[in-house]
Amino acid sequence: MIDDDVVGKVWVERPGASLPLDEMLLDRMALTAAIILQPRRVLTDAEQTRNLLFPMDELAVLTSCAALRIEPSTTVRVVVYTTGDGRRLPMSRERSPGRSIEIEVDGECLILVADSFVSTPEFVSESVTRSVHVGISLAAAASDVNRLVGTARFARSQASGLEPIMKADDLGALNLLAPGHNVPYNAIPDIVRAAELCGSEQGLELLATLRVYLRSGTLRSAANRMHLHHSTVAHRLTRLSHHVGFGVDVAENRARATAMMMVVDNQ
């Protein structure tokens, strides 16, 4: 029986009388037959997308990648936003890899996008007009992107009216402050680039200069503590900024630079 409907029968044929375990054997055969005959519902693209972003296990990830026609190694990001009016932001279907589509989970809209995703003017304008805050996650392989959904949410929490779209990359090591984070260090570009400098004497010198600068508070104070001319300290910080990809001596990046150095110093 399947869903109270009789779809067939199973039986045992053999010469002679029945045996003590025949009834158990028939029960097991009937259960196996029911499982084989049970029609399996094909999951929708939305369900597969949700399973990829919030998987039960590794098998669910690989199954969803296959169903959505996304190579597990493809580098992707997650875009997260919430809207009070229920209307979704304009997003071109071509921006989502494979067959993945925008989904809604517990009031949040989530979209899987390519690593190279750049917000269109229409997307930005709509976000500003409707006061919608958007977060874009760190990049990861499609098979691992579920681990970085939290970075998209954290980025969204740091967005503002002046800057409604926040990218997790621009928060650097601060992503480690995301509630319940399990973000691997190698997913954070700031940490990866800073760690590269630890392999050379010049790189260590640049990091040491930043360390003193952050503790001193000003360029001249750092120069005095290091017994250097302030232009030398400024030059080193400029070189370091070019390497890590953001201005380490810019006031609004102080928290980001401090978090990066805390991780580097504790690795």
Side-chain angles (χ1 to χ4, degrees), residues 56-75:
M56 295 293 293
D57 50 38
E58 186 176 348
L59 178 60
V61 169
L62 297 178
T63 300
S64 294
C65 281
L68 295 172
R69 300 176 186 172
I70 302 174
E71 285 292 329
S73 60
T74 302
T75 305

Side-chain angles (χ1 to χ4, degrees), residues 213-218 247-248 250-259:
Y213 169 74
L214 292 173
R215 292 172 181 172
S216 301
T218 67
V248 297
V250 177
E252 54 265 34
N253 288 335
R254 180 170 289 271
R256 177 179 175 181
T258 301

Side-chain angles (χ1 to χ4, degrees), residues 202-215:
Q202 286 188 339
L204 290 172
E205 182 180 71
L206 295 180
L207 293 174
T209 302
L210 175 60
R211 189 179 296 111
V212 174
Y213 169 74
L214 292 173
R215 292 172 181 172

